[in-house]
Amino acid sequence: MPESGQRVPEDSPTYREFSRLYDLARQIRPTGVDRWSRELYATSGPGGFDQRTGAIGIHEPLLRAGLTRSATDNPRRQARALATVLNRVTQAGMEVDAPGEANAVGTAQSQGLHEGVGSVRAVNDFELFTRSAGYPQLAFDGTQQSGAYVATNDLIQQASGPSVDRLDLISRLNNGPAVMQFDQLAEAVVRNRLQEVAPPEGADRRTVRRELITTMLHPQWDSLAQRSPEAGQHVAGEISKALNAKVDEIRQRYQQTGRVVGGDGALQRDAERAHQPTAHQPRQKAEEVLAARFLSGVARATGGRAPSLGDGSRAAAARASAPVRGASTPHPRTPNGRGQSC
């Protein structure tokens, strides 16, 4: 832990109560990962989840005075203690890294969002959790939270919609991995706001999500866990403006060109569609279009070109094949393939 801490004995009432609450919180929103090492520390600072050792730290006043079902003269502190348990359970219940994922974000911004996701889950599940745990009549809301909560909660609200609603999105973020949470938010934006124009899953869709992710990577993410709700609201406003502009840009790009410009594997419409016969074209007209394309050397769908037949006569073909005296042999052209540099 970054601050000093005293390990809580496993046979103590405080440890047993924390362990009971920890298991209950996991039952409410289960995940396939549990990284808590079963070490619990009463810390001088805010504490946290140690990604390296798996230890959990909670600020000592919250831990000692908050995790007790006995009557207390400070219900606000008790509420914060229970919310902190939910936060730690969320952080310990997911992997951090995602090897091989192109859209993974392993920067300080990801750490800030990770903290915010734990805080949002704490507020969202607080009432159910405290009622199930035997701590009735406690209240907790975002005004008791940090800037990381405010910014994350606002971003979740922007990404939520009819296809991926708020509760569904919180569950997805709760499962992690932590470095993929920005990508999960971006996918929710695609499904809720760009589904009618977005490509199917694959390199092109990942490219779209990557564009959206860049609008969410505010440089202040890493400090929001220690800053005020007002600071979080400021960051949320800037992210919202950038994200909305990017959504509009992507939608207009698809509607106007039918492709994603830039990135790897850009999706493009087949140019041949413009020449395909439709149900309203007579068969003769369609055949004429295809014949004209063939005779004029229009590029095939495979990238080659149809042969140019000149006037189509046998004499013309013979003249074309006869050697020309004094003519030099032309140098063959090197095709400039797509993706190659000249």
Side-chain angles (χ1 to χ4, degrees):
M1 314 303 293
E3 60 268 356
S4 62
Q6 180 180 0
R7 186 167 178 176
V8 180
E10 295 186 12
D11 59 353
S12 67
T14 298
Y15 184 95
R16 288 196 296 267
E17 180 62 3
F18 176 84
S19 182
R20 183 184 75 88
L21 294 171
Y22 183 93
D23 292 339
L24 178 60
R26 281 189 54 81
Q27 292 173 21
I28 292 174
R29 203 177 285 276
T31 66
V33 177
D34 183 3
R35 302 174 59 224
W36 180 35
S37 65
R38 296 316 187 258
E39 292 184 11
L40 177 64
Y41 289 84
T43 59
S44 58
F49 177 72
D50 192 314
Q51 300 289 350
R52 182 178 59 85
T53 67
I56 286 177
I58 296 179
H59 191 41
E60 184 171 9
L62 295 180
L63 188 63
R64 305 293 189 189
L67 299 189
T68 173
R69 281 178 283 179
S70 302
T72 177
D73 59 354
N74 195 335
R76 184 180 177 89
R77 174 183 291 175
Q78 192 172 49
R80 285 185 59 199
L82 290 168
T84 300
V85 173
L86 283 169
N87 186 299
R88 301 294 186 268
V89 170
T90 303
Q91 293 179 340
M94 71 178 75
E95 296 290 355
V96 174
D97 298 324
E101 289 289 346
N103 284 357
V105 179
T107 64
Q109 288 101 325
S110 180
Q111 296 172 12
L113 177 62
H114 185 42
E115 175 68 31
V117 167
S119 299
V120 170
R121 186 265 170 108
V123 173
N124 191 82
D125 293 352
F126 185 82
E127 183 177 353
L128 173 60
F129 176 59
T130 54
R131 186 172 63 248
S132 303
Y135 288 79
Q137 299 178 344
L138 290 179
F140 188 81
D141 57 47
T143 62
Q144 298 170 248
Q145 283 286 5
S146 67
Y149 164 80
V150 175
T152 304
N153 187 60
D154 189 87
L155 188 51
I156 289 174
Q157 201 65 31
Q158 290 183 67
S160 301
S163 296
V164 182
D165 63 24
R166 176 182 171 84
L167 294 180
D168 187 11
L169 183 52
I170 290 175
S171 292
R172 296 179 186 210
L173 295 169
N174 185 72
N175 280 277
V179 297
M180 295 302 295
Q181 287 174 332
F182 278 113
D183 190 61
Q184 291 165 337
L185 286 163
E187 175 62 19
V189 172
V190 171
R191 292 183 58 184
N192 287 320
R193 300 170 64 179
L194 291 167
Q195 188 62 28
E196 72 279 7
V197 297
E201 184 55 52
D204 300 303
R205 194 178 185 99
R206 285 194 299 273
T207 298
V208 172
R209 294 202 303 267
R210 191 177 308 127
E211 289 189 63
L212 296 170
I213 289 170
T214 60
T215 69
M216 305 177 193
L217 298 180
H218 197 283
Q220 295 181 20
W221 267 115
D222 61 334
S223 64
L224 287 179
Q226 289 78 43
R227 299 182 67 186
S228 67
E230 291 75 19
Q233 191 59 56
H234 174 75
V235 170
E238 293 189 344
I239 292 176
S240 176
K241 182 178 180 180
L243 180 60
N244 289 338
K246 178 59 68 173
V247 167
D248 290 342
E249 175 193 325
I250 293 172
R251 181 182 296 110
Q252 292 174 13
R253 185 193 309 161
Y254 266 91
Q255 291 172 343
Q256 292 174 2
T257 69
R259 63 172 180 256
V260 176
V261 180
D264 47 44
L267 179 69
Q268 298 185 2
R269 282 180 179 167
D270 186 356
E272 298 297 313
R273 291 181 184 175
H275 303 288
Q276 294 297 328
T278 68
H280 302 290
Q281 286 180 306
R283 179 176 296 274
Q284 181 179 359
K285 180 64 175 178
E287 291 174 351
E288 291 174 357
V289 170
L290 293 175
R293 288 171 53 210
F294 180 75
L295 292 174
S296 61
V298 173
R300 300 177 181 174
T302 58
R305 298 186 62 84
S308 177
L309 299 186
D311 61 8
S313 67
R314 292 177 181 267
R319 289 194 301 269
S321 61
V324 180
R325 182 173 297 177
S328 60
T329 304
H331 293 287
R333 293 181 180 178
T334 301
N336 205 7
R338 179 173 299 180
Q340 296 175 333
S341 59
C342 297

